[in-house]
Amino acid sequence: MSSDIRIEGVAKRFAPRGTDAARTILSKVDLTVRAGELVALVGPSGCGKSTLLNLIAGLDRPSQGRVAFERGGGTDKGRDAISLSVVFQQPRLLDWLSVEENIDIVFEGRDVDAAERPRVVRELLRKVELSEHGRAYPQFLSGGQKQRVSIARAFALRPDVLLLDEPFSALDELTARRLRS
């Protein structure tokens, strides 16, 4: 069953180390994203878009307020009850793993048929136009190729929630347009 994302009264403050002065990044954010909706956060650099995505993903905690994943009727399912993937601004690949292994690693510890995993990885590489780079290592890829691996990895588990943090910024316009489709 699908769920909504409910952000209620969320604030985030950061205090530089060695100081008591906290900088407020987000304040009193209220937002509901209904299952199936596509939402874009738009604003200038440094306004808190990535911070909000990190809070939704559970990579950070709000200073106040809450982020909940709710079924109809307001029952909080909890983040662990959903499948969530993130594509960061930077690819975040593991340099010691091949392209195929960087995608396949998301299956570890999950109930995914071991025989099916290579087929899924190959299909994702085909979709991001990197079929011939499966055995390559990240240090031998361009920035745009690394980002496409990151995008393929995010789709590997067919997530309930997909968070994209400027995923096409490292891609040329033609490739970005094809991937958006």
Side-chain angles (χ1 to χ4, degrees), residues 103-171:
I103 296 170
D104 185 76
I105 197 167
V106 300
F107 298 125
E108 294 298 319
R110 299 187 189 258
D111 187 25
V112 178
D113 182 10
E116 185 69 7
R117 288 164 56 164
R119 188 200 63 74
V120 171
V121 169
R122 282 191 307 274
E123 178 62 18
L124 288 166
L125 287 174
R126 184 191 65 73
K127 286 182 177 181
V128 297
E129 302 173 357
L130 288 173
S131 295
E132 67 280 2
H133 296 284
R135 298 196 189 276
Y137 286 85
Q139 59 267 34
F140 300 109
L141 301 177
S142 71
Q145 289 171 323
K146 290 177 187 178
Q147 191 65 358
R148 288 187 285 168
V149 174
S150 182
I151 291 167
R153 181 177 57 200
F155 278 95
L157 292 174
R158 300 180 58 132
D160 299 316
V161 175
L162 180 62
L163 302 174
L164 305 171
D165 192 358
E166 299 187 38
F168 306 120
S169 60
L171 303 177

Side-chain angles (χ1 to χ4, degrees), residues 1-132:
M1 178 181 267
S2 58
S3 65
D4 299 338
I5 301 171
R6 188 172 309 275
I7 299 161
E8 297 174 335
V10 166
K12 183 62 182 174
R13 291 179 288 284
F14 292 100
R17 290 184 187 195
T19 179
D20 292 331
R23 180 170 174 238
T24 300
I25 305 300
L26 299 171
S27 177
K28 300 178 185 172
V29 176
D30 291 306
L31 175 67
T32 298
V33 180
R34 304 265 180 239
E37 281 186 326
L38 174 65
V39 175
L41 301 174
V42 179
S45 187
C47 73
K49 299 180 301 289
S50 296
T51 299
L52 184 57
L53 290 179
N54 287 337
L55 295 173
I56 294 168
L59 301 172
D60 202 353
R61 295 181 185 269
S63 302
Q64 71 183 64
R66 75 181 194 120
V67 176
F69 296 86
E70 298 179 344
R71 292 181 193 216
T75 306
D76 187 355
K77 292 171 53 174
R79 190 173 285 103
D80 294 337
I82 64 158
S83 172
L84 184 142
S85 289
V86 181
V87 179
F88 298 98
Q89 291 178 27
Q90 302 298 318
R92 307 282 191 241
L93 301 179
L94 301 173
D95 287 337
W96 59 91
L97 297 180
S98 71
V99 165
E100 290 173 345
E101 292 167 329
N102 263 285
I103 296 170
D104 185 76
I105 197 167
V106 300
F107 298 125
E108 294 298 319
R110 299 187 189 258
D111 187 25
V112 178
D113 182 10
E116 185 69 7
R117 288 164 56 164
R119 188 200 63 74
V120 171
V121 169
R122 282 191 307 274
E123 178 62 18
L124 288 166
L125 287 174
R126 184 191 65 73
K127 286 182 177 181
V128 297
E129 302 173 357
L130 288 173
S131 295
E132 67 280 2

